[in-house]
Amino acid sequence: MPSLPILTVSECIRNLNDILSTQVICVEGEVQSFSVSQGRWAFFSLKDNRDGSVLDCFMLAWRL
């Protein structure tokens, strides 16, 4: 098995942003634990009722 590169946190985030910025996705799930912090940030989880998988999410509150 080839050795994997070791990335700094900044490099990892940059790589993930590069990958995700080219993707358009829609995710369907049950919204759980919704809250707004400081009137700016919305935090919530999306739960898949089929297998219980949970995706933690956040977004700018003004985009709601």
Side-chain angles (χ1 to χ4, degrees):
M1 179 159 122
S3 64
L4 297 173
I6 298 173
L7 304 174
T8 65
V9 173
S10 296
E11 290 169 329
C12 180
I13 291 171
R14 187 171 32 257
N15 289 347
L16 290 171
N17 283 333
D18 287 344
I19 292 166
L20 293 175
S21 68
T22 63
Q23 304 294 311
V24 176
I25 62 171
C26 293
V27 179
E28 180 179 61
E30 178 184 337
V31 175
Q32 296 185 325
S33 305
F34 182 86
S35 66
V36 176
S37 176
Q38 301 175 358
R40 296 185 59 189
W41 303 102
F43 295 93
F44 57 97
S45 298
L46 289 177
K47 180 180 177 186
D48 188 332
N49 288 327
R50 287 179 276 172
D51 66 3
S53 298
V54 176
L55 178 64
D56 293 325
C57 306
F58 74 95
M59 64 184 290
L60 293 170
W62 65 266
R63 298 200 71 182
L64 292 175

